[in-house]
Amino acid sequence: MLKLSNIHKKFNQNNSVLHALNDVSLHVQEGDIYGIIGLSGAGKSTLLRSIACLSSIDSGTITVDGIDIANLKGASLRNFRKNIGVVFQGYNLLMQKNVFANIAFPLLLNKTPKDVVEKRVNELIAIVGLQGKEKSYPATLSGGQKQRVAIARALATSPKILLLDEVTSALDPLTTKQILKLLKDINETSGVTMVMITHEIGVVSKICKKVAVLNYGIIEEDGLTSDVLQNPSSEITRTLLGKETLNG
Amino acid sequence: MDKFIQIWGEFNFSLETYNTLLMTIVPLVFAYVIGLPLGILCVISDKNGIRPNKIANNILNVVVNLGRSIPFIILLVMLIPFTRLLLNTAIGPWAASVPLTIACIPFIARVVEQSLKEVDQGVIDASISMGATDFQIITRVYLVETIPSLIRGVAISAIALVGYTAMAGAVGAGGLGHIAINQGFFRNNMSVAFIACILIVVIVQVIQISLEFTAKKVDKKNIK
């Protein structure tokens, strides 16, 4: 479904070259919750931004159901975007619009009829459990509620893939648990494929079926979460696991 | 009180207050018509904008900075031929509105630019990821998310304009500045100058308080 082949991306930073993504290849199957874990600066966000078509890649291909998305431009790219929903760590909600308008936003952008929008938004509000908050503004919501709005918004156009960028990093442990459960439920009921970027191994072990470990732009290992976590073959995975035990 | 009424009538304060308001509102509207798009262009052509364009951005910045660096009193005289060409006269409040508008355009472009830059890059990224066109990002994200800030910008611009009208007043535009300087200070008629100043202060206060109230009222980001 989502296939990344030999992705390279370099950044020039004051005379030195940072190889943010170095020959990254991944294969995410339909319905997967695919975790991409790594420390800060591992290239996770660059990878997610590439899949989201928010930044370009130097070489390689990214295909979704066989369509090469790295080369889409203009209107065809904008049209394709409804197939990919993105949820960000910082929520990135529209602060001057209420919950309903935020969730309706992507639908209104591509001129969906009003009655369809209303039906879909109410559906999504029920899915993420924000009934009664339709008219509230993001400023009055808790972190967990804001992330629920962001998830509903990302799902509005019924995307094939949901990209999750450190979605629980700003949340407390209990809220994190609730959001992860919500995501798992959504995955099970709607079958939407999820790609989850995180630095927390706990998040991966809780909901990801498969995982790839990214370190300095290189995929150190990937496979079923249970295999990778039980028999880590790379040092970085052991480091990530070790940190988890240290922090409890 | 009788003296006040007599002075008010003698120096035609009603008309000159009207002239000051005219010289504030008319240039403000025209300057926004040009300054707002200019400010938007500055933001989107910036290297972090949605349409980065180094050349366009540099040209815009040079034009805006040039416009802002010419002192208004010089611009006022410099533009007399242009004003004549446009309106056939260079005196009176309507004629003064020409240099006032031109002086205000770069000012407003910067004020608008500052407001729009308050939008978090993440929100722009989110809009792009939802398939928004550049036009939709401008009209539905930039301009909507910064409404309170834009309203405060209108207050700043309007108050700057009130200040400029006094300068224009000194050289034949009329208005309260004209009364304060020419009829008041130059003729040593301090009560006239005093009343004119009070009226200017009142105008500025009304602008500030009413627009600040509106900005607070529409702001949904800073509510508790």
Side-chain angles (χ1 to χ4, degrees), chain B residues 75-93:
Chain B
L75 196 74
L76 199 59
V77 181
M78 230 167 70
L79 288 172
I80 287 175
F82 177 66
T83 308
R84 282 230 171 87
L85 194 80
L86 217 62
L87 299 175
N88 261 328
T89 175
I91 49 171

Side-chain angles (χ1 to χ4, degrees), chain A residues 143-217:
Chain A
Q145 289 171 327
K146 282 185 211 168
Q147 204 55 294
R148 283 169 195 267
V149 178
I151 291 168
R153 181 176 71 173
L155 289 170
T157 53
S158 310
K160 294 176 185 163
I161 301 171
L162 193 62
L163 299 177
L164 306 155
D165 187 6
E166 299 273 12
V167 290
T168 58
S169 301
L171 305 174
D172 64 60
L174 179 65
T175 315
T176 297
K177 218 170 155 184
Q178 292 166 342
I179 293 288
L180 292 179
K181 182 172 183 305
L182 171 68
L183 290 170
K184 199 167 185 173
D185 290 347
I186 290 169
N187 171 263
E188 276 162 11
T189 50
S190 72
V192 61
T193 309
M194 295 182 179
V195 177
M196 186 162 210
I197 299 277
T198 183
H199 64 270
E200 293 165 288
I201 206 121
V203 169
V204 171
S205 64
K206 268 189 203 95
I207 71 164
C208 296
K209 198 170 131 202
K210 289 180 191 157
V211 66
V213 182
L214 195 64
N215 193 31
Y216 293 111

